Amino acid sequence: MTKRALITGITGQDGSYLAEFLLHQGYEVVGMLRRSSTVNFERIAHVQEQLTLVPGDLLDEVSLIGILREHQPTEVYNLAAQSFVQTSWGQPVLTGETTALGVTRLLDAIRIAAPEARFYQASSSEMFGKVHEVPQSERTPFYPRSPYGVAKVYGHWITVNYRESYGLHASSGMLFNHESPRRGLEFVTRKVSHGVARIVCGLDDKLLLGNLESQRDWGFAGDYVRAMWLMLQQDKASDYVVATGETHSVRQLCELAFAHVDLDWAEHVVVDERFLRPAEVDLLVGDATLARTELGWEQTVDFPALVAMMVDADVELVRRTGR
Ligand code: NAP
Ligand code: G4F
C-alpha cells in the first residue's frame, strides 16, 4: 500500500527535515502551505519537485477537510504553529488560535474526512515550564510559562482526548529544543551561530542577547523527525518525551560557538533587556528513556557537534551571500 503523509508546517525547520526523511522512506508527501504574498520555499527548494504542495491554513477548518478528503493521507504530522515563545506574549490570541485551536480543527477534520489516518502532534518541552522535577519525563506535570506554552498544553490534551474519545491513532511528541542550520534566525542557537559568522566576516562586532543563564536540552532536528515517524509506526498511539538528557546554558552555547572560530565570547556578547521575557523557563532537561526503549530512538549528533555544524553553515552562508 502507498504510504502518503500530510505535513502541516512543511516550510518550517522540522517540516523540511521530515519531508526529506519520508521521501527517503518511499512516502508520497503532501505539504500544506498557508497563503503568503511571497513564496518561502527556502528550506524545501531542494525537494520541491518531489512534493505535492497544497494550500490550507490551521485557522480554516474547511481547507483542512478539503485536503484530507482529496489526498486521504495514511499519516498526518501537525508541525504548523506560531512557534516563537517571545512572540506569543505580543500575539497571544493568534498563538492560541493556531497553536491550540488549530489542533482541534485538524483533529476534527481527520475525524470527518480520514478517520483511519495516524496523527502526530508537535507537543513541546515548554509545557513543563516552571519544572516540577528534573529531568522531565512523560509523567512530569505541566506548568507552562508563556501563552505559547499554554497553547501547547491545550494542543497536547486535545490530542489525548480525541484518542480516548474517538479511538483515533493520535500520538504526541513532547520534544525538547532541536536545532539545525535551518533554524529560524530569531531562536537563540541560530541567532548565536549567525551572529558569530557575521562577526568573523567583519560585518558586526557585537551580539545582543537576553538571559544567558537559562538552560536548555538542545538536540539536532534531523534526529528528532525520526522520532516523530517512529511514533506513528507503533500499533498503539502514545505520548513520548524526545530529548538528549543533557542541558547547557545560553552562556555555554556562546562560549562554544565563539571558541569554534577562535573568538572570546565575552568580548562580543552584550546583554540587552529587550530580549528578556516576562516569565522565563529556567531549566529544561528531558528523560527520553521511553522513546529509546519503546521506539528504539537514538540521537546521532551531540551538543558540541551541533554547535559546530551551525557555526560552520552560517560562516559559509555569510561568506557566500555577504549577509
Ligand atoms: P517553525 O520553523 O517555526 O515552522 C512553523 C511552521 O508552521 C511554518 O511552516 C509556518 O508556515 C507554519 N504555520 C504557522 N502558522 C500557520 C497556520 N496558521 N497555518 C498553517 N501553517 C502555519 O517551527 P519548527 O521549529 O519547525 O517546529 C515545528 C513544530 O514543532 C511547531 O509546532 C513547534 O511549536 C513544535 N516544536 C518545536 C520545537 C523545536 O525546538 N524546534 C520543540 C518542540 C516543539 P510559514 O513558513 O508560512 O510561516
Ligand atoms: O531559542 P529560544 O527562543 O527557544 P525556546 O523559548 O526554548 O523555544 C523553542 O523551544 C521550545 C521547546 O522547548 C519549542 F517548543 C519552541 O517552539 C521553540 O522552538 O530561547 C531559548 C532560551 C530562552 O530561555 C531565552 O530566554 O534562550 C534565551 N535567550 C537568551 N537570549 C534568547 C535570547 N532567546 C532568543 N530567542 N533570543 C535571544 O536573544
Side-chain angles (χ1 to χ4, degrees), residues 191-229:
K191 186 172 171 184
V192 169
S193 63
H194 192 251
V196 166
R198 285 181 60 85
I199 291 169
V200 169
C201 294
L203 297 175
D204 281 331
D205 184 48
K206 298 293 178 209
L207 175 62
L208 309 182
L209 294 175
N211 181 7
L212 302 183
E213 309 312 328
S214 62
Q215 292 171 262
R216 289 291 181 275
D217 180 329
W218 279 297
F220 172 53
D223 284 340
Y224 285 46
V225 299
R226 202 169 55 250
M228 300 174 186
W229 175 76

Side-chain angles (χ1 to χ4, degrees), residues 11-14 34 40 57-58 79-81 83 148 152 175 178:
T11 53
Q13 170 189 258
D14 290 6
R34 60 176 171 163
N40 60 344
D57 199 303
L58 281 190
L79 309 186
S83 75
Y148 169 83
K152 281 291 181 189
L175 271 48
H178 45 280

Side-chain angles (χ1 to χ4, degrees), residues 30 43 51-52 58 65 85 97-98 112 115 122 132 139 147 172 182 192 199 209-210 215 223 235 254:
V30 179
R43 297 180 173 114
L51 305 172
T52 304
L58 281 190
I65 293 171
V85 172
E97 282 289 352
T98 311
I112 292 165
H132 278 49
R139 295 170 304 286
S172 184
R182 297 184 202 165
V192 169
I199 291 169
L209 294 175
Q215 292 171 262
D223 284 340
D235 290 339
C254 292

Side-chain angles (χ1 to χ4, degrees), residues 208-273:
L208 309 182
L209 294 175
N211 181 7
L212 302 183
E213 309 312 328
S214 62
Q215 292 171 262
R216 289 291 181 275
D217 180 329
W218 279 297
F220 172 53
D223 284 340
Y224 285 46
V225 299
R226 202 169 55 250
M228 300 174 186
W229 175 76
L230 283 167
M231 285 177 217
L232 298 206
Q233 309 318 304
Q234 307 306 304
D235 290 339
K236 201 166 152 287
S238 193
D239 310 316
Y240 298 88
V241 159
V242 182
T244 71
E246 262 185 45
T247 193
H248 299 273
S249 65
V250 174
R251 183 185 298 272
Q252 288 169 322
L253 163 69
C254 292
E255 281 169 9
L256 212 54
F258 280 85
H260 186 64
V261 290
D262 298 324
L263 289 175
D264 178 358
W265 74 280
E267 290 176 12
H268 301 281
V269 171
V270 176
V271 172
D272 183 328
E273 286 195 353

Side-chain angles (χ1 to χ4, degrees), residues 7 10 13-27 29 43-44 46-47 50-51 182 220 222 225:
I7 303 176
I10 193 155
Q13 170 189 258
D14 290 6
S16 68
Y17 281 106
L18 181 63
E20 271 174 18
F21 176 82
L22 293 175
L23 287 169
H24 194 69
Q25 303 289 321
Y27 279 69
V29 177
R43 297 180 173 114
I44 53 170
H46 60 297
V47 289
Q50 300 167 67
L51 305 172
R182 297 184 202 165
F220 172 53
V225 299

Side-chain angles (χ1 to χ4, degrees), residues 83-86 123-126 148 152 175-179 183 186-189 191 208-212 214-216 218 250 275 277 280-281 284:
S83 75
F84 188 40
V85 172
Q86 184 92 51
S123 283
S124 166
S125 51
E126 275 291 301
Y148 169 83
K152 281 291 181 189
L175 271 48
F176 283 61
N177 299 52
H178 45 280
E179 319 291 317
R183 188 60 143 146
E186 66 274 35
F187 298 93
V188 76
T189 51
K191 186 172 171 184
L208 309 182
L209 294 175
N211 181 7
L212 302 183
S214 62
Q215 292 171 262
R216 289 291 181 275
W218 279 297
V250 174
F275 298 107
R277 297 177 176 183
E280 181 61 279
V281 171
L284 291 176

Side-chain angles (χ1 to χ4, degrees), residues 281-306:
V281 171
D282 296 320
L283 165 71
L284 291 176
V285 56
D287 173 358
T289 305
L290 195 64
R292 281 200 300 274
T293 53
E294 274 191 13
L295 305 178
W297 178 79
E298 294 289 346
Q299 71 177 96
T300 65
V301 179
D302 66 11
F303 183 63
L306 174 66

